[in-house]
């Protein structure tokens, strides 16, 4: 049914479903297929936003079932309802303070025992809980038998077996959600008597506190016994001893009893293929080889697979520009439309195929489960820079977009490692810089263009690492965050989830092309057309020319300087402004870029690319740095550091290159 | 014998006895299944030796030595460098063909009985087939032994 509805824009979801929707939170361990289940429930009626105050991705979607509308929130993956990492805190705070109508705890059929631990913690906190046991298709194949009726009887809550991959049980899950939204269920499970005694003792003293009347005192008592720091502060009570180990053991004991009658394991031959792949992928020598091969492949695919599409789009925009130029009688309007709007946006749209393919590749790496392996293989290297494989994943995301990279540092629990990762993230060559590399490289480096681009990526990685070390030394002297990371089993990603992954992120680029970049293109066109109609005597020329002496040692032309200034809006704007300033589209070999080629030497061009890589990040990234680090101080550090080094290295590139050529 | 999780050889399992990790990490370790009495097995080491993947409650978790050295486990199997004087059986040898040949020359192979006579920081004096042999620390690390109960 989900496909029959047309796609709604984010704002419409709020208006289509007025206050009568039922709010549902999806909660579960990382890698249990929670997001796939979310996709299966909501289809395309979803949007990605941020949690208020923090910038962890918040996926919200709408589902219609029966006579009701459900608003489903995909909470960050978590192992416990503690409050030690920001992910956990977001999930927990949502459950406590937003109190959704229903909670669906998503667990993994292949690993039920461990994932039920979180369910118990939710049951301690609230009612109206549904247990979804996901990946039931894989479990069946592995010969695992789960009796959901028996489980449901013992737990007292609805239990549904689902598979987001085959779609099995999704209907049952919807039915269970509908049923609970009408009736409601609250259950308790009991701890061993000695713990229950402590709980009731604490509860009775908590009940006397008026300011806590909105909280479940039983839950507060359990958290106090676990010495949960937030609850200790909230209640002002200190029970003394730490019972957390005792309580954790009791939960697992309860799970053991629960699964005795309802869960039958088999010989886990399922793991054999998994182990075989891991044997290669994390092997002493092969593992590193595979790691670099995959990274290289991603960028080759991004570059070469996209080419036919890129050429096609270029041809289309050129034809459109020429047609508009001819058919509009007013010269300035014709110029605005063909050079400003069509030329500027067209130059950026040509790179859409590359960027979608890049996100698709990253999506495949993430959804199959390779990314954590990559983090595992590379962790020791990151550790020597006081970072972890976790920050490696954030940095890897930076190849798509520095903003998402900075946002993803939320998963790093150690504040200091987070700050360092945020500070160095802008030096990771994001996909918006790729258009600039491609444009300049295709003009100056001919057949070596691919190599030039690859070397920029390698340089970006090395520079990021070196900067991380430097920042760690200068700003902090602490230890890196502990890397406790699960290596999930490999999964076949579904086409649908890959499409949603790619679309949700690629859309960002399209939106930028449609808004900021269009605006920037028009501003640039205005600056370069007025007051005289001649670009050489325009405002832009005056601006660029007045700054040009500063960049003379680097060999940059005033057009390049002007483009760099506009690059602050978004790095890919450099492409559109260069093409506007040189009066042409970005087609390789066109007369405009030939002018550029005659003005500067290849070493200067390479220096320019290094400058583009390192100088101040785009406004969106700057805003993200400010938000995430919480201070302008860090923005200044990374911006001034980047600008200084960019200038220095571009100069060195020119000098060294000049000496050899 | 009680050893730390970081000392547990690859392919061997043990039982968790104690978790000495800082409080804020313990909570997450519990959530992942690291509790007292739980069996845990070393699966493999990263290419640069750290971190290490452990199998616990059916899932594979990667821990750094920094943390795994704070988890105490009970295991009948450990590397020879940790052994106190007593009787042992060689369970496996971790190394290439040259290492295996070297060990065979001394008389050590899978299943051979050895007696640790004296334990020094730079290695172990062992008695095997009525010969006294000195095994340097670096080699001892690569010999996995099983404790034999005292008679």
């Amino acid at each position: 049914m989900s496909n029959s509805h047309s796609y709604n824009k984010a704002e419409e979801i709020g208006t289509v479903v007025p206050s009568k929707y039922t709010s549902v939170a999806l909660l579960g361990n990382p890698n249990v297929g929670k997001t796939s289940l979310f996709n299966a429930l909501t289809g395309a009626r979803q949007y990605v936003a941020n949690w208020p105050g923090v910038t962890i991705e918040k996926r919200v979607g709408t589902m219609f079932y029966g006579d009701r509308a459900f608003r489903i929130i995909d909470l960050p993956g978590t192992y416990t309802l503690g409050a030690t990492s920001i992910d956990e805190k977001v999930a927990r705070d949502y459950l406590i303070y937003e109190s959704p109508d229903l909670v669906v705890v998503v667990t993994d059929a292949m690993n039920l025992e461990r994932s039920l631990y979180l369910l118990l913690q939710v049951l301690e906190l609230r009612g109206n809980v549904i247990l979804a046991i996901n990946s039931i298709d894989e479990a069946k194949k592995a010969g695992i038998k789960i009796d959901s009726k028996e489980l449901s009887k013992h737990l007292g809550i609805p239990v549904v077996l689902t598979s987001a991959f085959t779609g099995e049980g999704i209907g049952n899950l919807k039915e269970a959600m509908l049923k609970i939204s009408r009736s409601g269920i609250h259950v308790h499970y009991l701890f061993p008597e000695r713990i229950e005694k402590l709980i009731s003792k604490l509860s009775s003293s908590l009940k006397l506190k008026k300011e806590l009347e909105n909280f479940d005192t039983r839950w507060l008592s359990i958290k106090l016994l676990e010495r949960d720091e937030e609850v200790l502060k909230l209640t002002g009570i200190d029970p003394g001893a730490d019972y957390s180990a005792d309580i954790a053991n009791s939960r697992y004991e309860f799970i053991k009893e629960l699964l005795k009658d309802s869960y039958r394991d088999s010989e886990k031959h399922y793991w054999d293929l998994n182990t075989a792949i891991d044997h290669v992928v994390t092997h002493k020598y092969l593992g590193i080889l595979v790691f670099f091969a995959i990274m290289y492949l991603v960028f080759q695919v991004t570059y070469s697979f996209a080419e036919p599409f890129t050429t096609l789009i270029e041809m289309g925009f050129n034809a459109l520009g020429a047609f508009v130029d001819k058919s509009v009688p007013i010269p300035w309007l014709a110029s605005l439309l063909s050079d400003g709007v069509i030329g500027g946006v067209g130059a950026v749209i040509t790179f859409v195929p590359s960027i979608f393919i890049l996100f698709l590749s990253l999506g495949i790496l993430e959804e199959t489960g390779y990314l954590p392996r990559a983090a595992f293989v590379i962790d020791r290297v990151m550790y020597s820079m006081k970072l972890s494989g976790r920050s490696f994943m954030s940095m890897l995301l930076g190849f798509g977009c520095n903003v998402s990279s900075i946002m993803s540092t939320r998963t790093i629990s150690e504040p200091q490692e987070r700050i360092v990762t945020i500070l160095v993230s802008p030096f990771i060559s994001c996909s918006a810089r790729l258009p600039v590399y491609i444009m300049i490289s295709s003009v100056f480096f001919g057949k070596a263009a691919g190599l030039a681009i690859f070397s920029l990526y390698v340089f970006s990685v090395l520079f990021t690492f070196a900067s991380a070390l430097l920042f760690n030394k200068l700003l902090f002297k602490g230890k890196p965050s502990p890397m406790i990371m699960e290596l999930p089993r490999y999964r076949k990603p579904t086409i649908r989830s890959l499409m949603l992954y790619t679309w949700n992120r690629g859309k960002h680029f399209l939106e930028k092309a449609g808004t900021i970049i269009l605006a920037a293109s028009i501003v640039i066109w205005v600056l370069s057309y007025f007051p005289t109609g001649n670009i050489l005597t325009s405002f832009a020329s005056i601006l660029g020319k007045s700054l040009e002496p500063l960049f003379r040692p680097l060999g940059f032309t005033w057009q390049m300087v002007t483009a760099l200034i506009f690059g602050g809006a978004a790095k890919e704007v450099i492409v559109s402004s260069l093409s506007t300033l040189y009066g042409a589209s970005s087609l390789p070999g066109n007369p405009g870029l030939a002018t550029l080629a005659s003005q500067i030497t290849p070493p200067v061009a390479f220096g320019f690319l290094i400058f583009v890589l390192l100088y101040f990040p785009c406004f969106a990234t700057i805003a993200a740095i400010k938000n995430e680090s919480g201070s302008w101080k860090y923005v200044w550090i990374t911006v001034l550091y980047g600008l200084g080094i960019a200038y220095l290295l571009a100069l060195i590139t020119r000098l060294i290159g000049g000496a050899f050529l | 014998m009680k050893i730390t999780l970081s000392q547990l050889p690859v392919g061997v399992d043990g039982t968790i006895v104690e978790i000495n990790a800082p409080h804020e990490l313990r909570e997450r370790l519990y959530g992942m299944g690291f509790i007292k009495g739980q069996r845990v097995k070393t699966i493999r080491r990263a290419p640069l030796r750290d971190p290490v993947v452990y199998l616990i409650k059916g899932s594979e978790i990667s821990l750094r030595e920094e943390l795994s050295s704070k988890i105490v486990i009970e295991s009948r199997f450990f590397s020879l460098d940790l052994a106190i004087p007593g009787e042992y059986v060689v369970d496996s040898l971790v190394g290439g063909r040259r290492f295996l040949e070297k060990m065979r020359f001394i008389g050590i192979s899978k299943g051979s009985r050895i007696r640790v006579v004296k334990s020094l920081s730079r290695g172990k004096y062992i008695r095997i087939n009525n010969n006294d042999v000195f095994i340097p620390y670096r080699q001892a690390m690569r010999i996995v032994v099983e404790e034999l109960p005292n008679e």
Side-chain angles (χ1 to χ4, degrees), chain A residues 196-314:
Chain A
E196 281 297 333
K197 266 186 192 154
L198 291 166
I199 292 173
S200 56
K201 213 169 125 197
L202 277 170
S203 284
S204 48
S205 56
L206 284 169
K207 271 183 189 132
L208 300 175
K209 295 201 167 213
K210 264 225 168 95
E211 71 271 21
L212 298 174
E213 62 185 7
N214 289 329
F215 291 91
D216 185 316
T217 52
R218 181 182 163 82
W219 180 75
L220 287 178
S221 311
I222 295 169
K223 285 291 146 190
L224 278 177
L225 293 173
E226 288 184 303
R227 296 196 68 76
D228 182 284
E229 274 180 34
E230 266 192 19
V231 175
L232 283 173
K233 238 184 255 165
L234 177 79
T235 57
I237 291 178
D238 192 335
D242 181 0
Y243 292 92
S244 58
D246 228 359
I247 289 177
N249 270 322
S250 317
R251 287 188 189 121
Y252 280 117
E253 279 303 315
F254 181 86
I255 294 169
K256 216 189 212 167
E257 283 301 310
L258 182 71
L259 294 182
K260 220 178 225 168
D261 309 324
S262 50
Y263 185 86
R264 196 139 13 94
D265 210 341
S266 66
E267 316 292 305
K268 287 198 170 172
H269 32 86
Y270 179 89
W271 279 93
D272 290 354
L273 179 63
N274 214 70
T275 313
I277 298 173
D278 268 347
H279 195 72
V280 176
V281 159
T282 60
H283 184 265
K284 213 168 165 181
Y285 306 112
L286 275 179
I288 293 174
L289 209 71
V290 168
F291 173 76
F292 282 107
I294 287 181
M295 296 299 131
Y296 185 69
L297 191 73
V298 167
F299 294 105
Q300 274 302 309
V301 162
T302 305
Y303 190 52
S304 55
F305 271 33
E307 205 157 281
F309 302 103
T310 309
T311 318
L312 213 70
I313 295 171
E314 270 171 1

Side-chain angles (χ1 to χ4, degrees), chain A residues 333-512:
Chain A
L333 187 64
S335 172
L336 168 66
L337 290 177
S338 68
D339 295 339
V341 178
I342 296 170
V345 172
V348 175
I349 297 286
T350 47
F351 299 102
V352 164
S354 298
I355 278 139
F356 272 81
I357 290 174
L358 177 69
F359 279 126
L360 183 64
S361 317
L362 287 176
I364 291 170
L365 291 186
E366 197 171 314
E367 304 245 320
T368 50
Y370 178 71
L371 272 191
R373 267 81 181 181
F376 173 71
V377 166
I378 212 72
D379 182 67
R380 190 63 190 80
V381 178
M382 305 298 288
Y383 186 57
S384 55
M385 275 161 296
K386 303 275 183 202
L387 296 172
S388 75
R390 273 295 188 98
S391 61
F392 175 83
M393 279 192 268
S394 289
M395 289 182 181
L396 200 65
L397 283 176
F399 287 111
C401 175
N402 293 160
V403 175
S404 50
S405 155
I406 290 166
M407 274 158 53
S408 71
T409 60
R410 286 273 162 181
T411 57
I412 303 168
S413 58
E414 203 72 29
Q416 154 213 331
E417 186 187 1
R418 240 183 88 203
I419 294 283
V420 172
T421 312
I422 289 170
L423 287 180
V424 301
S425 282
F427 305 125
I428 303 189
S429 190
C430 69
S431 58
R433 284 149 168 134
L434 185 60
V436 190
Y437 301 164
I438 295 175
M439 180 198 200
I440 299 287
S441 298
S442 62
V443 173
F444 288 93
F445 308 120
K447 276 186 185 153
L451 187 68
I453 293 171
F454 184 64
S455 65
L456 280 165
Y457 275 99
V458 171
F459 174 74
S460 154
V461 171
L462 294 178
F463 187 79
T464 307
F465 285 176
S467 304
L469 257 184
L470 188 74
F471 284 138
N472 247 319
K473 259 221 166 105
L474 289 182
L475 300 172
F476 308 102
K477 279 164 197 154
K479 284 179 173 176
S481 69
M483 205 198 39
I484 311 176
M485 181 180 65
E486 186 174 356
L487 302 188
R489 57 181 187 278
Y490 291 100
R491 278 216 174 94
K492 220 193 287 170
T494 60
I495 303 286
R496 174 194 236 170
S497 60
L498 279 181
M499 290 298 132
L500 282 168
Y501 181 100
T502 309
W503 173 246
N504 279 336
R505 286 157 186 80
K507 192 172 67 177
H508 189 64
F509 182 83
L510 273 180
E511 283 165 358
K512 271 209 295 189

Side-chain angles (χ1 to χ4, degrees), chain A residues 29-31 79 111 114-115 252 271 274 278 372-373 376 390 482-489, chain B residues 5 16 25 28-34 38-46 50-65 67-68 71:
Chain A
N29 293 166
N31 314 308
Y79 291 100
N111 196 349
R114 206 273 313 278
S115 48
Y252 280 117
W271 279 93
N274 214 70
D278 268 347
R373 267 81 181 181
F376 173 71
R390 273 295 188 98
M483 205 198 39
I484 311 176
M485 181 180 65
E486 186 174 356
L487 302 188
R489 57 181 187 278
Chain B
L5 185 56
I16 296 176
L25 295 180
R28 194 160 350 140
L29 286 174
Y30 295 151
M32 294 177 131
F34 288 88
Q38 175 65 41
R39 289 195 83 73
V40 53
K41 183 178 176 186
T42 308
I43 300 292
R44 76 184 78 77
R45 291 181 172 275
D50 193 29
V52 175
V53 182
Y54 299 99
L55 181 69
I56 189 154
K57 286 198 190 289
S59 62
E60 297 191 358
I61 311 282
S62 146
L63 297 182
R64 278 193 188 140
E65 192 184 340
L67 185 57
S68 58
I71 298 173

Side-chain angles (χ1 to χ4, degrees), chain A residues 483-589:
Chain A
M483 205 198 39
I484 311 176
M485 181 180 65
E486 186 174 356
L487 302 188
R489 57 181 187 278
Y490 291 100
R491 278 216 174 94
K492 220 193 287 170
T494 60
I495 303 286
R496 174 194 236 170
S497 60
L498 279 181
M499 290 298 132
L500 282 168
Y501 181 100
T502 309
W503 173 246
N504 279 336
R505 286 157 186 80
K507 192 172 67 177
H508 189 64
F509 182 83
L510 273 180
E511 283 165 358
K512 271 209 295 189
T515 53
I516 303 175
I517 298 164
L518 177 63
S521 303
I522 291 171
V523 169
I524 289 162
W525 176 83
V526 168
L527 286 176
S528 58
Y529 190 84
F530 293 107
T532 56
N534 182 351
I535 198 160
L536 295 173
T537 51
S538 67
F539 293 134
S541 138
I542 296 163
L543 186 65
K545 277 172 187 159
S546 58
L547 283 170
E548 186 264 346
L550 262 177
F551 290 89
R552 205 167 289 158
L554 309 184
F556 294 179
T557 64
W558 66 263
Q559 291 94 332
M560 288 157 77
V561 175
T562 313
L564 283 174
I565 297 166
F566 286 118
K571 295 265 168 138
E572 61 269 44
V573 171
I574 293 172
V575 170
S576 55
S577 28
L578 268 184
S579 29
T580 310
L581 289 168
Y582 279 105
S585 81
S586 69
L587 255 195

